[in-house]
Amino acid sequence: MSKSLQVELKQQHQQHQRQQQEKHQHHYESSYYLSAKSSVSKQSFSTHKTTSHRLKTSVKTEKGQEVVKLSTLPKRAKRTYLAMDTDKEVIGYVIPVFRASHDTVRELMDAQKEEATEEGINYVAMRNLFVREAREALDVKVVKKTRSTQIKESVERMELSRTLDEWTQFRRKMNPDNLTHPPEFTVKPRGQTVWEGKTVKLHCTVAGWPRPKVAWYKNNVLIDVKAHPEKYTVESNYNMHSLEIKNCDFFDTAQYYISALNVKGEASSVATVVVKRFQTGEEPGPLDPKPHGFCHEHGVTFETTIIDKFEVAFGREGETLSLGCTVIVYPTVKKYQPEVVWYRNSVPLKPSKWVHTHWSGERATLTLIHLNKEDEGLYTLRVNTKSGFDTYSAYVFVQDADVEVEGVPVAPLDVRCHDVNKDYVVVTWKQPAVEGSSSIQGYYIDRCEVGCHHWALCNDVPVKYARFPVTGLVEGRSYIFRVRAVNKAGISRPSRVSEAVVAMDPSDRARLRAGPLAPWTGMIKFTEEDPTVGVVPGEPTDVVVTEATKSYVVLAWKPPVQRGHEGVMYYIEKCISGTDTWQRVNTSAPVKSPRFALFDLAEGKSYSFRVRCCNSAGVSEPSVSTGEITVGDKLDLPSVPSIPVATRNTATSVVVFWKACKDVKHLVGYYIECSVVGTDVWMPCNNKPVKQTRFVCHGLTTGANYVFRVKAVNPAGYSQSSPNSDALVVLPAISVPGKSTGVTLLEAVKDYMVLGWSPPANNGGADIRGYFLDYRTVKGNAVGKWHELNHKALTTTSYKAENLKENVFYEFQVRAMNMAGVSKASLPSASLECKEWTLTVPGVPVGLHVLEIRDTSVVVLWETPTFDGRTPVNGYYLDFKEASAGEECWKAAHEKVNKMKYMKVTGLKSGTSYVFRVRAQNLAGVGKPSELVGPVLAKTLPGTKEIYVDVDDDGVISMIFEFPEMKPGSEFVWSKNYQAIDASRLTIVSEQGKSRAIFNSPSLEDLGTFSCVVTNTDGISSSFTLTEEGLKRLLEISHDHKFPVIPFKTEMAMELLEKGRVRFWTQVEKCTSACQVEYVFNDLIISHGQKYTMNFDKNTGIIEMFMDSLEVTDEGTYTFNLVDGKAKGTTSLVLIGEEFMELQKKSQFERAEWVRKQGPHFVEYLDFVVTSECDVLLKCKVGNVRPETEITWSKNSIEIAEGDEDAKKIGKKDNELTFNIGKLSKKDAGVYEVFLKDDRGRDKSTFNLTDAGYQAVLNELFRVIANSSSEIKVISTEHGIILYSTVTYYNEDLRVAWLHKEAKIAASERVKAGVTGEQLWLKINEPTEKDKGRYTMDIFDGKGSVKRFVDLIGQAWEEAFEEFKRLKAAAIAERNRARVIGGLPDVVAIQEGKSLNLTGNVWGDPVPEVSWTKNDKLLVSDERYKLKFEQGKFASITIAAVTTTDSGKYALLVKNKYGTEAGEFTVSVYNPDDEEAKEEKKD
């Protein structure tokens, strides 16, 4: 075959393929234009690369328009990506196909230059963007062909196809590389319709070789998956490709294209995704702002940083919680603000009365008002810019509010309404995390109409199922619902109320959302009666049981087709299985909704159900029966979750994993509970169920040992709790260490270098086990590969790198290792040259670290330099400065050289960070400073305690250091002068967070600084310096403990007892059962007998000695001598001289008083008290009285007899006598006496209620009255403003003063003060601006005064003054308003043909306007109705010759500027003939 024939056949083959593709493309693009109405410019770019020259062609449409087809752009031409409308105006920026892969595609195309007729990559890239819209501009042209023409063209196509097939087979044999073929969609993506919030996934399969590269588009815009990882996920496995769109919202409704490309060509397919949502508000209009779309800002890239982030938060129901972050956007562009969006569990939050968001330009704040458990979840702050986005998330936990009754469950949550109809709604909720002291028995559902506050119970019996159909709603009214849980202990608090729902037909709701079809014109048109009115409706269809539990069954059906326009209602009938009797369920009234819930069905029985329709014309035939339905729960409880596995996370949180329940239906989620080992008290970790099988439990106690369990929840209830997890101690998870720092050169020789570094600041929660050192060579700017220096971990922070080459530069890096693994490499050191040092001064000290960090001090430690210089090191200098200060701020911590390798730096500022360095010194001088250690914050670490010294009872001296928060693997390490201790001098005993260092034989050899460090912590450490003076004091205390003295808690004391007995006593702090006491008087040992009585209680340590009386011979010294093993003690009391005589007199008095109390006597003598009701009460308390004991009251020496008036005031209760004077007056003054008398003796008590006594009672009365006064209140009247305060009682002698601005108010006609009953008032008539200010009421309280204040200024004055003016104006208006004061009857019965004349009396100032109405229509005076208004007082109406048409409701309307009033009466006109005819009919 000749070459020209090959080229011709090839061109024909490709032209045929292009025509077929264009026909298919043209048909698709035209249909897309009709549906999508794209606004992108109608242009098309195509290329025929038949030669090296570029061609320009044009095509004319049916309308004569010319569409230019541009040739392929040159490779170096700068392409534009601007979308234009028909007026060539730029309307958007379009991302091109494979924008980041143009160079790759060009390389693919250059490799196929021999394929001269292949499509260019520019054509492929640009066609996706513009060719569809250009095709839409072309009108479809239909050409009619005859049958002979069609047959002829078909034969030609078949012949061409056979020729092309032969040519293709020939090419495959001659050129195997041309087995490649363009992309082809073997399975195309299918369009889908989903609800808002769901996830949709588009799938397709693409064939082609080489394997095509695919890209996804949304409405011709490339989908950037990396910029939206939370929204889109793209997968490509072999030839199967998918696009997953998560959490769909309304704006995801679009045309989604997939384009496949390889060197042989390109293919594309499209799928439409429609996202539906329930109407929650008005639809956005065409002019409303659209949501922010992401695209790269041309020439500008924004960088977003979120700082000051909110942590995991804990709140309680009813509280207010705020979350906030500071957002930094760089660069700052004027008038540009990022989009700040808050999410809860990946759902955007909308501002409401519960959720407040604020963006200040720098800080984003979210405030949750009145927290509820529904607010618990993962909160995410997302900051969107035109260059991308940044997010931050943290969990918010909401704890239940305290229950009012112990043991009741907590409130349910997430109450929602579903399937809302005219009189029916389904309410669902989620069970709470805590059931209380017993299992939840069920739930009560309450409803409330919107606008009122009355809650009605929907169910009489608690329902177990977390879903309940509520019936009996009133159509057109709005309702809210709440749920309460109940167990044996009681009923929980109610849940948060649901969203309000309207009881109405769903179709009516849809029409309301769509809006009115036409505006209201104010006209009512009447039409003829609809022919369907009066038609009996047809039977309902599709009656099914949608829900069935043991508590209720829910039926649903479709309304009949034939039902007229008046609407239908329904009757429900049931039939018990095995019978033919149908019983109507809703006998009281039909239901309006095509839903109905049946209760009170027998569990386990089978029923059949059917429905009838009814309207005003009658009842329809019954529907088809549902068949037999067995009453019972159809949903089982969830199965038990698997054993949870708990792993460490942070110091206060644990990650819990478990396997999902098997075969569970309608899973609501899981609740996780935790318990401290040994307590058996379970606490919820989450108060809102989670569906994932992994949860982070926060808020745990560090170091506590916890176990965890999980239970699942579905609408049927809770599953059984899973088995407990293994116990886990809450500690931070161990991780690899941080990076080491400060890799420096310590010494260098010809073939080796000594390197040092600082350990990582973070050891990852475990001790550093070693280090690995790497090196690489450096030549100019070129560096070599890293090589390991040591294969075995180093235990020190320095290393001698040997076998190096002299005069070669090296870089080094270090990796630290702990039990979790090896850390990342440190930063490389500076380039270090391997050559011998010639220095004479020492090298730098190494291993700097700090201990014992306190608010004002810190201890710095270091190791000797690796290189000493010419002479040995003989001392060190320590320098420090604030971390933020400059190099000129270094200060020396000491003046003289320090011989030790540690030093305590004092005088630091609390809360300030410092850095430290050390320099070594030898005879040649001072060397270079070491690497810095720090910054170190001068602040005592939490939980740090100091070492203290203890001497036990045996005289053993020890040092104790405590750290209760010990972690596993931590231990106490003691040292002396920061070096290992000598075991022969100290014995270390450590247990349970306490370590004791016991001195074996304290001596001067033990002087020094002892320190203790707790490993695997943030540096918990302490020290104690034992000085010679301190050692002596400790040895003295030790001696006292070895040779003890019995300590006395109380030295010997004396007290008088009843009958005048004398008690000598003391108390020792502690003693043993072997303790003995010797009693001594004036050096003579006395013993138990007739005069002395002894007692020693060894449990309490109290020693007592009793004497019945004191005689003259008892003057002297009393001593107790104690012996308890090797301990001794002595205590004495001296009674001589005047002290002894005074004690003897008191003893005799006490004995006489005892004798008095043998008969009736007064325990408390007569005194007074003023009650809160301001009654004066005389009272006393008596003792040792008998029924026969005479009790006599007298006043002014006159006995009060039983018949006297005052005898009613006497009272006796138990042993208390009272005389109730009541409200005190001057006639009550006098001397009151009470006498007690019987055969055992007599006693008397007197109270003088005269002069000083009367005044004392009166002062106490004033005090009670003054303190009972209330705060001053303000009230306005039509006359002015009244200030008043109420008291319990008012006495005429009580002094009350009123002050205005601290000045006493003088009485006048305008301002008056007074008392009305128990009300103290101040009246201000006709107040003015001068009456503003502070008013004080000063009440005398017997000693000083009690003051009450009120500030009559500002808003208080304005409100009071405005109310006064309003009341004054209202009073004037009430006096002068227009009114009908009489003259009109209620009913007038008049015979037809008679004249009617009625006159009404009218009042008003000014004179009111008068009008008459009949049946609410205004009457005008004419020949029939004569209306008159005379003298401004009398209004009359006259109707001559009334007829039956004059019957009706009449009214006299009067009106002036103060008001309007109507006097109504009814006129009834009758015809006597008609009445007689009616009577005859009755007969």
Side-chain angles (χ1 to χ4, degrees), residues 78-98:
K78 183 177 181 180
R79 85 181 27 81
T80 178
Y81 304 120
L82 298 178
M84 301 183 180
D85 60 6
T86 54
D87 298 327
K88 308 302 181 183
E89 294 291 336
V90 177
I91 61 173
Y93 179 81
V94 183
I95 301 176
V97 182
F98 302 113

Side-chain angles (χ1 to χ4, degrees), residues 62 139-145:
E62 216 176 294
D139 292 337
V140 179
K141 186 175 181 181
V142 180
V143 179
K144 295 183 179 179
K145 298 180 180 179

Side-chain angles (χ1 to χ4, degrees), residues 1378-1400:
R1379 67 188 75 178
V1380 179
I1381 59 177
L1384 295 176
D1386 292 334
V1387 178
V1388 177
I1390 187 170
Q1391 183 177 340
E1392 186 175 12
K1394 300 291 184 177
S1395 295
L1396 175 65
N1397 187 359
L1398 295 176
T1399 301

